[in-house]
Amino acid sequence: MPENPAAPPRRRQRADARRNRERLLTEADAAFREHGTEASLEQVARRAGVAIGTLYSHFPTRDALLEALFRERHEAIMALGDELLADPRTEPAAALARWMRAVTDHTATYRGLAGRFLGSLEDETSELYAACKRMAATGEALTERARAVGAIRADATANDVFALISAAAWLREQVGPADADRLAVFLVDGLRA
């Protein structure tokens, strides 16, 4: 597609700015893993060796920083959802369960992330909004497909699925991955017809 001639030319980011951005992402990942999504952004900047203004010039909000950290993971989740929806051989309840496990793993990366994702569905100004809306649409399609063939309860909704995903992510924070995975099976089994 040709570039818009009225748009200003895109400038390449300076090498030091690219390094600062990468250090900020690395330190944010470490801080969020240790302290959850409410970790101090000032501490992230300090650990990256930059001023807080530098952090905000790259990531104007906490959600912008989270979106940058999760961009590739969001794309992987979306690709999995597209694959599960496109493959007619995949049993609908199994497809929904597989997708729920993947989203649970994704949202359990940092303490508090599930809540931020859910909150982003209502906040169109959030940098996470588009990715979360896309994820919600995939969840809705997988839920509807499973419900349509009677593989899950007739009263199960996509909102129920996301509530269960959030519960499973919270469980991971409380009891660890192995026990949380076992309990998540119970949650998914509760959806079955």
Side-chain angles (χ1 to χ4, degrees), residues 5-134:
R10 294 186 77 183
R11 291 179 35 199
R12 285 190 62 160
Q13 198 174 36
R14 293 185 341 242
D16 62 329
R18 282 193 309 275
R19 283 191 302 274
N20 285 343
R21 185 178 194 283
E22 289 308 311
R23 278 197 316 269
L24 285 164
L25 288 170
T26 298
E27 294 303 333
D29 179 63
F32 291 161
R33 285 182 191 279
E34 186 176 342
H35 302 289
T37 58
E38 295 305 315
S40 164
L41 296 183
E42 290 80 8
Q43 183 65 29
V44 169
R46 201 170 13 261
R47 287 171 56 165
V50 299
I52 189 67
T54 301
L55 182 144
Y56 285 123
S57 71
H58 287 281
F59 309 105
T61 66
R62 185 176 300 271
D63 283 353
L65 180 55
L66 286 166
E67 194 280 330
L69 283 167
F70 283 106
R71 187 171 296 131
E72 287 179 22
R73 293 180 198 172
H74 282 310
E75 289 307 317
I77 295 287
M78 293 305 106
L80 173 63
D82 292 345
E83 174 188 320
L84 292 169
L85 286 167
D87 187 352
R89 298 166 298 162
T90 305
E91 194 272 320
L96 179 60
R98 182 174 171 205
W99 187 80
M100 288 176 69
R101 278 191 303 278
V103 175
T104 297
D105 290 346
H106 177 55
T107 57
T109 304
Y110 306 138
R111 186 175 63 255
L113 188 59
R116 289 199 83 84
F117 284 158
L118 286 175
S120 296
L121 285 170
E122 305 301 320
D123 182 4
E124 292 183 31
T125 64
S126 169
E127 288 83 351
L128 296 169
Y129 177 79
C132 290
K133 275 306 238 194
R134 212 169 134 207

Side-chain angles (χ1 to χ4, degrees), residues 130-187:
C132 290
K133 275 306 238 194
R134 212 169 134 207
M135 198 175 298
T138 300
E140 180 74 46
L142 286 164
T143 302
E144 179 55 38
R145 189 173 85 169
R147 192 176 46 235
V149 299
I152 62 172
R153 299 166 50 120
D155 61 345
T157 67
N159 286 340
D160 298 331
V161 167
F162 282 103
L164 292 173
I165 289 169
S166 294
W170 178 83
L171 279 170
R172 279 188 172 228
E173 295 172 11
Q174 307 307 310
V175 300
D179 286 337
D181 287 344
R182 187 177 62 79
L183 293 170
V185 170
F186 298 158
L187 293 173

